[in-house]
Amino acid sequence: MAKITFMGAGSTVFARNVIGDCMCTETLRDWEFALYDIDPVRLQESAAILSKMAQTLGVGAKITTYLGVENRKDALRGANFVVNAIQVGLYDPCTIIDFEVPKKYGLRQTIGDTLGIGGIMRALRTIPVMEGFARDMEEVCPDAWFLNYTNPMAMLSGYMQRYTGVKTVGLCHSVQVCSETILKEMGLEDKLPGRRELIAGINHMGWLLKLEDKDGNDLYPLLRAKADELIAQPDFKDKVRVDYIRRFGYYCTESSEHNAEYNMFYIKSRYPEQIDSFNIPLDEYPRRCINQIAGWKEEYESLSKTQSLTHTRSKEYASHIMESIVTNTPYEIGGNVLNTGHLITNLPEDACVEVPCLVNGQGIHPCHVGRLPVQCAAMNMTNINVQLLTIEAAVTRKKEHIYQAAMLDPHTGSELDIDTIVKMVDDLIAAHGDWLPKYN
């Protein structure tokens, strides 16, 4: 029996979506689904929900569970695909630390999982765990594809691609809905059917480089004409990305609450009025975590009482990639891959970039894109600098690279002086304690 291993199966809602998608796929529905986590309660909850779903859908899926590091190799042994959705340190204590310590220094964040000081710290505590995954995979499932959904996407995927022998692609949800979102926001739903697009850049800042209607007409003149009108609406939530259209010429893949903290422009203590005018939700991710934890308790109680649990296949790439490789049926994704051979010619080869990729029976094949508009590449580079230095810190265990990553982070560097950045990093390292390895 073929096997899919899900790392971080305690991410119950996400595990349900990805594995539910597989159960809705004829090629995959009767496989073994190996669930791995270090939390016994969440692991049991996921197993119960997925077993009920398999029963409802009438599939032959085999659900197995593996608890703790001592059982990790067995969870991975013989896997064809490994899906990664871990969160090292969880909301409590690590996300709380990521937000509250910087706040003492006047540094505010919205999401803190991809870039900024929060993204840096999240990468530093996650990479050592993924290094262990890689070692085990190289031993017990060396041919498996590693499908990474965990943030910070470019740092974690880039580490796996550069420093391990594991076949890795990073997957996000934002590419699939990018053009649909902006067309709906601008009241251009009639342009959705048959549209053609090209998206490339880096994760969470992939640029919608081309958008055409079904007849090949360029839709960007319409988007640019409507940008001022949307930003003028007081309650409109996607203002940062629409402002990107005005300032840089292009819309990008991830939400405005994310992109508000990826640059030096919008969250500024000297210009507090921008927080309100751009509808920037500071401390958004901690609020989501609190609501999600409370909401899951209620949802699990409800699901436990129901006799059946069905599922409809989602837009997540994972099941489509697996199906494509297994059946040798071509499929296109937006994947996070190493920029080997300069897929994007004006970004460095060490960068993890997000580009169109063809999937078939031979695996995942990134497509050459060429040059980004110079201003888009420049924006990407402000993020890539931080990503590469954070990976360097994780590999060398040199604290100086953590300082440098934080100094070069566009939001952190625009708000704090160098000595304060160093003090904040030291405080964060101390507060994380055993969640971080020792740095020299």
Side-chain angles (χ1 to χ4, degrees):
M1 178 183 282
K3 179 176 177 180
I4 297 165
T5 300
F6 198 105
M7 311 299 282
S11 309
T12 313
V13 174
F14 189 63
R16 190 171 79 208
N17 281 342
V18 170
I19 296 175
D21 288 351
C22 294
M23 289 182 187
C24 293
T25 306
E26 187 174 350
T27 313
L28 312 170
R29 61 193 308 174
D30 299 327
W31 285 26
E32 177 185 353
F33 298 96
L35 310 181
Y36 171 81
D37 209 281
I38 59 172
D39 182 328
V41 174
R42 295 298 294 264
L43 184 60
Q44 181 275 324
E45 289 174 349
S46 280
I49 295 300
L50 289 165
S51 296
K52 187 173 290 189
M53 183 184 291
Q55 189 175 10
T56 304
L57 293 171
V59 300
K62 177 184 177 184
I63 308 294
T64 55
T65 58
Y66 299 85
L67 177 64
V69 177
E70 65 274 18
N71 293 305
R72 191 172 68 195
K73 270 189 194 175
D74 288 334
L76 291 165
R77 196 177 309 280
N80 301 80
F81 300 96
V82 178
V83 179
N84 184 50
I86 62 172
Q87 184 182 356
V88 177
L90 302 176
Y91 165 67
D92 189 359
C94 286
T95 295
I96 294 172
I97 293 169
D98 287 346
F99 275 78
E100 293 305 314
V101 171
K103 208 179 285 184
K104 293 175 186 174
Y105 293 89
L107 186 65
R108 303 296 301 275
Q109 300 171 91
T110 52
I111 306 294
D113 74 345
T114 295
L115 206 73
I117 195 62
I120 292 168
M121 301 314 293
R122 183 179 279 233
L124 294 176
R125 62 179 181 261
T126 307
I127 286 174
V129 176
M130 289 177 60
E131 181 183 7
F133 290 1
R135 257 196 328 267
D136 288 351
M137 287 183 67
E138 287 164 354
E139 181 181 338
V140 302
C141 57
D143 295 324
W145 272 96
F146 188 77
L147 311 182
N148 179 50
Y149 276 101
T150 297
N151 284 326
M153 176 63 64
M155 298 187 204
L156 302 183
S157 300
Y159 166 77
M160 294 290 284
Q161 289 153 355
R162 289 172 60 196
Y163 289 102
T164 80
V166 175
K167 295 185 291 187
T168 300
V169 64
L171 304 174
C172 189
H173 330 274
S174 55
V175 173
Q176 297 97 309
V177 297
C178 177
S179 62
E180 178 183 359
T181 299
I182 188 60
L183 288 174
K184 285 182 175 178
E185 285 176 346
M186 292 194 167
L188 299 170
E189 287 91 343
D190 60 310
K191 307 298 183 186
L192 286 167
R195 69 191 184 281
R196 305 169 192 173
E197 62 188 45
L198 172 63
I199 294 174
I202 60 172
N203 180 242
H204 284 194
M205 200 189 277
W207 300 100
L208 182 59
L209 298 171
K210 292 181 183 176
L211 182 60
E212 299 172 345
D213 66 15
K214 65 181 189 304
D215 299 318
N217 298 306
D218 182 7
L219 294 177
Y220 255 115
L222 278 174
L223 304 189
R224 292 180 180 121
K226 287 177 172 281
D228 288 338
E229 176 189 325
L230 271 184
I231 288 178
Q233 296 175 13
D235 296 330
F236 180 61
K237 300 299 183 189
D238 199 21
K239 289 191 180 186
V240 170
R241 283 201 290 177
V242 173
D243 200 40
Y244 277 9
I245 297 176
R246 298 198 303 178
R247 310 293 182 183
F248 296 97
Y250 298 91
Y251 190 68
C252 84
T253 47
E254 190 49 82
S255 66
S256 284
E257 61 264 28
H258 274 279
N259 270 276
E261 64 183 6
Y262 297 165
N263 54 65
M264 61 289 278
F265 309 125
Y266 300 101
I267 305 174
K268 298 185 79 68
S269 54
R270 284 185 59 197
Y271 302 93
E273 69 278 2
Q274 287 197 152
I275 303 299
D276 294 328
S277 66
F278 279 96
N279 290 325
I280 296 169
L282 296 173
D283 297 325
E284 170 68 13
Y285 186 63
R287 282 194 297 274
R288 284 187 198 176
C289 290
I290 292 166
N291 293 336
Q292 190 176 38
I293 291 164
W296 172 245
K297 287 180 181 176
E298 293 178 15
E299 187 179 0
Y300 182 69
E301 286 178 17
S302 171
L303 291 172
S304 299
K305 293 170 185 170
T306 186
Q307 295 301 307
S308 62
L309 180 62
T310 190
H311 182 79
T312 302
R313 196 175 186 185
S314 74
K315 291 182 178 179
E316 294 290 355
Y317 282 138
S319 69
H320 296 278
I321 290 170
M322 298 177 204
E323 180 184 33
S324 174
I325 290 174
V326 171
T327 63
N328 193 25
T329 305
Y331 184 74
E332 185 184 318
I333 65 167
N336 290 273
V337 296
L338 209 58
N339 194 31
T340 306
H342 283 112
L343 302 165
I344 297 178
T345 53
N346 51 349
L347 295 181
E349 284 198 294
D350 280 350
C352 179
V353 294
E354 194 166 66
V355 296
C357 301
L358 172 68
V359 189
N360 62 19
Q362 298 300 310
I364 298 170
H365 314 281
C367 298
H368 178 83
V369 173
R371 284 179 64 83
L372 296 181
V374 67
Q375 71 276 17
C376 296
M379 279 286 281
N380 285 164
M381 277 307 305
T382 66
N383 286 223
I384 289 168
N385 292 333
V386 181
Q387 293 160 2
L388 296 183
L389 275 162
T390 304
I391 293 171
E392 196 74 11
V395 171
T396 64
R397 300 283 165 88
K398 289 182 179 179
K399 197 184 291 185
E400 65 200 65
H401 293 314
I402 308 178
Y403 298 146
Q404 292 157 355
M407 290 172 195
L408 286 168
D409 175 67
H411 176 44
T412 304
S414 69
E415 287 283 84
L416 306 180
D417 66 89
I418 290 179
D419 288 338
T420 302
I421 290 171
V422 170
K423 288 177 188 173
M424 179 182 67
V425 168
D426 286 341
D427 279 0
L428 279 161
I429 292 171
H432 276 89
D434 291 340
W435 288 106
L436 287 180
K438 298 297 178 235
Y439 281 85
N440 302 314

